[in-house]
Amino acid sequence: MKRWALAGVGLWVLGMGLGVLSSEQGKKSRLSPRTTTASAAAVLAPTPPMGWNSWDCYGTTVREEEVKANADYLATHLAGYGWQYVVVDIQWYEPQAKAHGYRENADLVMDEYGRLQPAPNRFPSAAQGKGFKPLADYVHGKGLKFGIHIMRGIPRLAVLLKLPVLGTQGFAKDIADPQSLCPWSTDMYGVDTSKPAGQAYYDSIGQLYVDWGVDYIKADDMTQPYHSGEIEALSNAIRKSRRPIVLSLSPGPTELAQADHLRAHAQLWRISDDFWDRWKDLKAQFALCRKWVDHIGPGHWPDADLLPLGRIGIRAEQGEDRQSLLTADEQVTLMTLWCIFRSPLMFGGDLPSSDASTLRLLTNSEVLAVNQHSTRNRELFTRGEGIAWCADVPATPAKYLAVFNLADQTEAEIKIGWKELNLQETCLVRDLWMNQDLETFTSGYTFHLRPHASGLVKISPTRGVTGQSSGWAPSGAQ
């Protein structure tokens, strides 16, 4: 078993003490049979993925027991509503990761081929070269799926230590591009994927993640700026592995000009920078959703980012331990926009700490159905600070309608005519947040909304019913 130490830049141990793969284990990994899918033609992410991600509450510092606690909660309280992914976010390989930021030139745990490994002081089950397989097995045992965050490129430490690339005669220094740097992390160099060993490195980490049982990869520092070569290399590695791994690309905002390339190589991609619990962030998402809506569909979902709801900031990058700073109306508006736009739904709060109001946002089957099963989603209009979106209800003549008041001070009356939705004269309106039918209305309906509030309804044509012309009071209304 080998150990390396570099004076002045820290100590990186590739040995039994930190649970890193031995040479024989590395050979076994390289030669192990690949996992196959039930159908090679199956579409990955046929609907927007739903799950939990550790970033908003734990930042770079999440620990194994916290991941398990959130997985337990997800399995018990949310899986029945479609929530299924448990994703460990950034720097799980950093033993001394700190809250609210990154350590420069940090000590990282990796194997002798420069492949990052979970830090065993934070993930005890990863000791002795087991990696994330025990934790993935635990998550799978709950009937859920397991995901990890990775950074673009190869660890700078692998270059300093002159480590080989698995399956090649090359070394980390041969494929690393020291000019290709992440602007906010000193962990990695970009990889020159024009070299065969560059693709081989991505193939080697792809096979490692297959061996661990990973179902979802959030690959960061990929899209802003846009690194097409490394996106293709990672995508190709996943395809070669033949395991159905969903690929999510970060950060944003991603350029719309890359839409075709993204759809060819990933299932999810971020449309904004990190989204936090601030109204200004939420308001900005409306223009981005409008911009990307033509590119949503089975297997490709523009991503409006995590849901910073419930208890967040425990050890996160921004802010202190807190309940989401979004008001109750703003939280409903957030969920309504994400659902009508069909964004992936990744909850960022600490699930075991969730209060009843947060849980209600996550367990409304009728609202979640808009996210998972609606079609022809589109913005209907923008009229000043009033915005309306609509979508079709599959296999029916009904429509989903979401209406938003973005004004900061002024209440809004927003009239929707049935002709704008190509509906007949008389329709039944159902409030999806309240889960109840209201009245039938002729010609249309007027929403009365407080500032930052929204309404989400299902509108179903009726025949031979006398309608009413008065409005009603949806969530957030007076």
Side-chain angles (χ1 to χ4, degrees):
M1 196 64 68
K2 302 175 182 178
R3 295 176 183 266
W4 286 269
L6 294 180
V9 291
L11 174 65
W12 303 278
V13 182
L14 290 80
M16 188 175 297
L18 285 183
V20 182
L21 296 179
S22 68
S23 297
E24 290 304 313
Q25 288 172 310
K27 292 176 183 176
K28 182 178 179 181
S29 173
R30 176 175 53 187
L31 298 175
S32 62
R34 299 192 183 268
T35 304
T36 58
T37 62
S39 170
V43 175
L44 282 172
T47 62
M50 300 168 58
W52 173 81
N53 179 292
S54 63
W55 173 249
D56 283 350
C57 46
Y58 296 111
T60 63
T61 68
V62 69
R63 298 187 292 262
E64 182 169 355
E65 66 269 21
E66 293 162 336
V67 176
K68 286 184 174 180
N70 278 274
D72 293 346
Y73 190 98
L74 192 75
T76 301
H77 299 283
L78 300 179
Y81 297 89
W83 302 86
Q84 61 177 334
Y85 288 94
V86 175
V87 181
V88 180
D89 213 274
I90 193 169
Q91 283 200 323
W92 36 266
Y93 39 81
E94 219 277 57
Q96 305 302 322
K98 68 172 186 176
H100 313 300
Y102 301 89
R103 293 196 312 134
E104 291 190 6
N105 302 314
D107 307 340
L108 307 180
V109 183
M110 56 187 168
D111 71 8
E112 59 207 83
Y113 298 106
R115 301 181 299 178
L116 293 166
Q117 303 282 321
N121 64 321
R122 294 169 52 198
F123 298 91
S125 69
Q128 299 183 356
K130 295 185 178 71
F132 267 134
K133 189 175 190 312
L135 183 54
D137 288 347
Y138 182 89
V139 171
H140 292 154
K142 298 284 181 179
L144 305 172
K145 296 184 178 182
F146 181 69
I148 60 172
H149 174 289
I150 68 172
M151 290 293 295
R152 177 181 65 89
I154 189 167
R156 298 186 193 185
L157 304 185
V159 176
L160 291 172
L161 295 170
K162 301 180 180 180
L163 299 185
V165 176
L166 181 63
T168 77
Q169 300 300 310
F171 291 83
K173 65 180 178 59
D174 300 325
I175 62 171
D177 181 356
Q179 304 305 312
S180 181
L181 304 176
C182 175
W184 41 266
S185 171
T186 60
D187 291 346
M188 314 291 275
Y189 286 134
V191 167
D192 184 348
T193 56
S194 68
K195 298 177 179 178
Q199 180 65 59
Y201 179 77
Y202 272 103
D203 291 348
S204 76
I205 63 172
Q207 183 58 47
L208 179 65
Y209 304 152
V210 167
D211 294 343
W212 287 348
V214 171
D215 305 298
Y216 180 107
I217 294 173
K218 176 183 174 182
D220 212 339
D221 191 35
M222 284 287 196
T223 54
Q224 185 56 258
Y226 200 78
H227 296 277
S228 59
E230 291 188 82
I231 291 171
E232 292 176 19
L234 179 57
S235 176
N236 290 337
I238 292 172
R239 287 172 177 161
K240 290 176 186 178
S241 78
R242 300 181 67 189
R243 180 177 176 84
I245 299 175
V246 171
L247 177 57
S248 171
L249 302 177
S250 292
T254 307
E255 296 298 329
L256 188 63
Q258 303 295 344
D260 290 343
H261 189 265
L262 289 161
R263 289 173 57 153
H265 296 288
Q267 288 73 54
L268 285 64
W269 57 88
R270 282 269 296 282
I271 65 173
S272 72
D273 199 355
D274 284 4
F275 175 82
W276 283 102
D277 52 332
R278 301 172 294 205
W279 171 250
K280 68 175 184 177
D281 287 12
L282 178 51
K283 188 172 184 178
Q285 294 297 87
F286 282 86
L288 294 171
C289 292
R290 179 190 310 119
K291 177 179 175 181
W292 280 100
V293 69
D294 290 340
H295 298 281
I296 67 174
H300 43 89
W301 305 107
D303 182 4
D305 203 12
L306 307 181
L307 302 169
L309 301 172
R311 185 186 176 195
I312 61 175
I314 297 172
R315 298 190 304 276
E317 180 192 35
Q318 292 195 13
E320 300 299 326
D321 190 345
R322 65 191 184 278
Q323 292 296 314
S324 177
L325 298 178
L326 296 171
T327 68
D329 282 345
E330 290 165 356
Q331 291 181 41
V332 172
T333 291
L334 166 60
M335 287 295 295
T336 300
L337 178 61
W338 265 235
C339 287
I340 197 70
F341 173 62
R342 303 198 73 188
S343 173
L345 299 178
M346 289 290 174
F347 184 76
D350 180 60
L351 285 170
S353 304
S354 296
D355 58 16
S357 61
T358 300
L359 191 59
R360 284 194 293 270
L361 292 172
L362 307 181
T363 57
N364 188 315
S365 296
E366 293 185 74
V367 171
L368 295 175
V370 181
N371 178 268
Q372 293 292 292
H373 303 301
S374 58
T375 60
R376 294 187 66 238
N377 306 68
R378 58 207 182 273
E379 185 182 79
L380 186 63
F381 62 71
T382 296
R383 296 172 184 164
E385 298 282 15
I387 293 178
W389 279 64
C390 63
D392 292 354
V393 182
T396 78
K399 306 287 184 183
Y400 291 124
L401 176 65
V403 178
F404 307 90
N405 178 16
L406 272 56
D408 294 328
Q409 303 293 332
T410 309
E411 296 176 10
E413 291 190 356
I414 302 174
K415 174 66 179 291
I416 308 291
W418 296 158
K419 289 183 179 180
E420 295 180 83
L421 297 170
N422 294 318
L423 293 174
Q424 67 183 51
E425 183 72 7
T426 304
C427 294
L428 174 67
V429 177
R430 180 173 178 82
D431 185 335
L432 300 186
W433 280 113
M434 295 174 62
N435 303 126
Q436 68 180 47
D437 289 335
L438 302 167
E439 301 288 346
T440 56
F441 298 94
T442 57
S443 301
Y445 176 73
T446 300
F447 289 80
H448 302 273
L449 298 174
R450 290 190 295 264
H452 300 184
S454 59
L456 180 61
V457 299
K458 179 180 177 181
I459 304 171
S460 303
T462 62
R463 294 186 181 279
V465 178
T466 301
Q468 301 183 16
S469 60
S470 60
W472 56 281
S475 298
Q478 291 281 21

